[in-house]
């Protein structure tokens, strides 16, 4: 319900339009004071609901905005733009190694020097959890090319752990999700390439 009311105008507006249509049809059939007030009230309240949706930014919207900034930075080859959203205490453990923010930054820089990433977009975005256990899962699709490989569309799935405060949303964990198109199930496998 929160997603409809605060995050998705493509759902809210048609729903409100449908409700207003029903209210006006009821008024047209009955022509009572109550149905007239309901229809007129909808004309006042529903635009206010759309305005509130435009003003209110939910936690899920904040997280999605950060993810879109990171994806845009990847497409531009901007390592600082990617790692600016990593928490200072970011740690990744895999295959007996522990990477901190600096190690991940260095590996991302090498990967972006080797690969040209373009046409990035996010889809199938989900945010779950509360407090310190906030997680997001999404699919990122982009075109990847290098000197050895021509451009091709690559869909990948990612799971991120978050620390969400009033001031910021910081990524505490990044985990690629293994799919048919991306066989890596760990950040270490992906960034070693």
């Amino acid at each position: 319900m929160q997603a409809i009311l605060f995050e998705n105008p493509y759902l809210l507006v048609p729903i409100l339009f449908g409700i207003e249509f029903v209210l006006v049809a009821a008024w047209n059939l009955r022509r009572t004071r109550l149905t007239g007030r309901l229809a007129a009230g909808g004309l006042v309240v529903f635009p206010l609901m759309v305005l509130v949706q435009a003003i209110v930014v939910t936690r899920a919207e904040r997280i999605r905005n950060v993810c879109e900034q990171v994806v845009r930075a990847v497409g531009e080859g901007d390592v600082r733009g990617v790692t600016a959203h990593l928490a200072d205490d970011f740690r990744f453990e895999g295959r007996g190694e522990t990477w901190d923010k600096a190690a991940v930054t260095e590996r991302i820089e090498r990967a972006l020097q080797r690969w040209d990433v373009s046409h990035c977009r996010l889809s199938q975005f989900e945010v779950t959890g509360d407090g310190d256990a906030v997680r997001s899962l999404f699919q990122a699709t982009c075109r990847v090319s290098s000197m050895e490989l021509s451009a091709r569309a690559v869909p990948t799935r990612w799971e991120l752990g978050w620390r969400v405060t009033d001031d910021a949303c910081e990524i505490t964990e990044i985990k690629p999700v293994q799919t048919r198109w991306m066989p890596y199930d760990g950040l270490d496998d992906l960034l070693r390439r």
Side-chain angles (χ1 to χ4, degrees):
M1 189 60 140
Q2 177 181 334
I4 292 172
L5 289 177
F6 297 113
E7 297 170 7
N8 194 338
Y10 301 112
L11 285 177
L12 181 65
V13 171
I15 289 170
L16 294 178
F17 182 77
I19 292 170
E20 183 61 26
F21 180 79
V22 169
L23 292 174
V24 169
W27 172 74
N28 192 34
L29 288 174
R30 299 199 180 222
R31 298 281 178 162
T32 65
R33 184 175 292 173
L34 176 63
T35 58
R37 287 181 179 168
L38 287 173
L43 291 173
V44 172
V45 171
F46 295 161
L48 291 175
M49 290 176 70
V50 173
L51 180 65
V52 166
Q53 186 184 59
I55 293 171
V56 173
V57 179
T58 65
R59 180 190 66 195
E61 287 177 307
R62 289 176 58 205
I63 289 173
R64 184 179 178 112
N65 289 341
V66 170
C67 289
E68 288 174 349
Q69 290 172 17
V70 169
V71 167
R72 194 170 24 257
V74 167
E76 295 169 356
D78 178 12
V79 177
R80 286 184 194 262
V82 174
T83 60
H85 300 288
L86 297 180
D88 289 336
D89 61 344
F90 176 88
R91 291 276 185 267
F92 171 78
E93 294 183 21
R95 307 225 196 273
E97 286 186 83
T98 301
W99 298 356
D100 61 1
K101 183 176 178 178
V104 169
T105 300
E106 186 259 321
R107 284 176 169 84
I108 290 172
E109 187 170 6
R110 273 193 306 194
L112 290 177
Q113 286 174 354
R114 179 175 178 205
W115 300 100
D116 180 39
V117 181
S118 61
H119 300 89
C120 301
R121 67 181 177 82
L122 300 179
S123 61
Q124 301 175 15
F125 203 90
E126 302 170 30
V127 175
T128 58
D130 228 351
D132 290 340
V134 177
R135 308 209 53 83
S136 66
L137 181 68
F138 59 90
Q139 178 170 308
T141 305
C142 59
R143 293 182 58 117
V144 178
S145 62
S146 71
M147 296 299 281
E148 305 90 33
L149 181 70
S150 62
R152 62 185 179 104
V154 178
T156 57
R157 289 206 48 88
W158 298 89
E159 183 177 352
L160 279 62
W162 294 88
R163 179 180 304 117
V164 181
T165 64
D166 290 339
D167 299 329
C169 296
E170 296 180 314
I171 302 168
T172 58
E173 177 187 1
I174 299 174
K175 182 178 189 253
V177 177
Q178 190 173 19
T179 66
R180 180 175 66 178
W181 303 280
M182 187 173 79
Y184 311 116
D185 61 357
L187 194 61
D188 52 348
D189 288 335
L190 184 64
L191 292 178
R192 284 185 204 283
R193 305 288 174 223

